Amino acid sequence: MPVALQVARHASEHPRRIALRAPGGDLSYAGLARRTEAAAATLRSRGIGRGTLTALSLADPAELLVAVLAVDLAGATPLVCDHTWERERRERIMATVPAHVRVETPLPSAPGPAPVVAVASADSGVPGASPQDRAWACFSSGSTGRPRAVVRTRASWTDSFPHLSALTGIGPGDVVLVPGPLNSSLYGFAAVHALAAGATAVVPGRWPTRPAAHLGDVTAVHVVPHRLPAVLDALRESGRARGRLRTAVVGGAALGAGVRDLAARAGVDVVAYYGATELSFVAADTDGHGLRPFPEVEIQVRADPGQELGEVWARSPWLAEGYLTTGAGPLRIDGDGWATVGDVAEPYRAGEVLRLRGRGGGAIQTGGATVVPEDVEEVLRRAPGVDDVVVVGSPHPELGSVVTAILEADGPRRPSRATLEEVARGGLDAAQRPRRWYAVRSLPRTPAGKPARGLLAARLADGDPDIRRLT
């Protein structure tokens, strides 16, 4: 069922309930349903329907969600783009995808000419919705900074909603803060899930400069790990150490040590999950005891003979269909329907906890040893004054690579190299300890908020003067 029809159902039952809180104001479920239906009618009148890939580049998060719902209701496929791309980069990226239609201004709230660009062949008519319709596409750069358009069927996109609701307790009457760009699969999924559940989605469109101003009556929040402490700090600053916030849904990377305990002291339950844009949900940790398969997901860890770590493979109804972009990506699917994006983990047996060790392609080979960057980063984040850290391999003539740490730290709080080396000696084996140390005021991040590891490594190799060597 298109999410727009679920919105229409909520509108008939609770027309005045707020569906969206966005920078432009509030929009009720009745208002959202009307706007979505009118926009879908406009699209259909222009022959936009089944088989039409519709690229959406809209700055306002409410306008973007109206367009996403309307495109799906019309039977076409929404491709959510990053509206902040500079035009030259946007044209270069769009040249890699077979988009028929581009929407760069809000769709009208009443039937009329659609503000679209570059309409190519598109089937007219209103197709019957099918679970196998392509109902969602977005760009995934992972930590490399190279966008790839991932496309999903309606079944893989929306049929997991009830499972997420059961794990998080999110349902009608909840107020869900989604403090990030909706072109990110993490935040886009969170917002659409909230609407399908009949909740109020608070969508500022980016990380707010004053998180406390958005927390008010919020009962759930979706964040990447490095943002959760800021949410908890905002609760304390606002005097609501135990406010209405009940649940934090955390994805995108490993949750730092101790953060779950901080959340518990604030009365906030944490549901952490592991997944990828291409795989969707793979495993979830609802109680702090480790990652276990998300409902209807099978997991294998395939290791080569003699290797301690193996690749994580998943088989589930939630897998993406593949890439729309030209060129390869990390997704591989075997003949039995198992898929991987190259993440690595310790050996796994059904019923056990999945112990992730990071992205396989990011492993650092140094002097015959294999170092997983995430293992090093976890230890270095404990150092006082370190806001975040990225570990990469730097070329070395004899060792192949050496472990290099780039800290997000600035000003008087920045730790000395001696302090950092002391922390490293206390928690890392000799091969894991960084040989080179750098600091940057702010780490570059993907739209989802994860550090852009590949981009940072490239900047370091190019001698970026903003990355300062610690001596």
Side-chain angles (χ1 to χ4, degrees), residues 221-422:
V221 62
H222 285 257
V223 286
V224 290
H226 82 280
R227 293 297 192 191
L228 182 54
V231 170
L232 301 175
D233 287 343
L235 280 177
R236 288 192 294 271
E237 291 169 7
S238 63
R240 293 189 294 268
R242 284 185 174 270
R244 292 198 65 203
L245 183 61
R246 180 191 72 243
T247 303
V249 186
V250 183
L255 191 63
V259 177
R260 190 183 288 270
D261 291 338
L262 290 175
R265 288 197 288 273
V268 179
D269 293 329
V270 174
V271 177
Y273 66 86
Y274 156 64
T277 302
E278 297 90 342
L279 306 179
S280 190
F281 296 103
V282 175
D285 180 357
T286 60
D287 55 12
H289 294 158
L291 292 166
R292 297 185 184 277
F294 190 81
E296 300 188 54
V297 175
E298 299 174 85
I299 295 174
Q300 292 180 349
V301 174
R302 302 178 182 177
D304 292 331
Q307 296 296 311
E308 294 183 2
L309 304 178
E311 280 190 327
V312 180
W313 289 75
R315 184 165 64 181
S316 80
W318 324 129
L319 303 179
E321 187 176 290
Y323 297 112
L324 294 171
T325 42
T326 57
L331 177 65
R332 287 173 285 143
I333 303 176
D334 69 12
D336 294 321
W338 292 86
T340 186
V341 290
D343 291 343
V344 295
E346 297 177 12
Y348 170 81
R349 292 181 181 178
E352 295 180 346
V353 168
L354 176 66
R355 295 178 173 84
L356 290 169
R357 297 291 297 279
R359 179 61 54 92
I364 302 167
Q365 301 296 325
T366 176
T370 300
V371 174
V372 177
E374 287 82 356
D375 291 348
V376 182
E377 291 164 356
E378 182 180 355
V379 171
L380 297 183
R381 287 192 185 99
R382 303 171 191 164
V386 174
D387 296 323
D388 206 349
V389 61
V390 165
V391 170
V392 299
S394 295
H396 189 277
E398 298 175 0
L399 301 175
S401 295
V402 291
V403 178
T404 301
I406 306 168
L407 314 174
E408 185 175 72
D410 195 63
R413 292 182 60 249
R414 188 176 69 194
S416 67
R417 176 164 176 166
T419 297
L420 294 166
E421 289 179 337
E422 182 179 353

Side-chain angles (χ1 to χ4, degrees), residues 49 51-55 71-72 75-79 134-137 151-152 324:
T52 311
L53 181 63
T54 306
V71 170
D72 184 30
T77 305
L79 170 60
R134 289 179 164 186
W136 175 266
V151 63
R152 314 180 63 81
L324 294 171

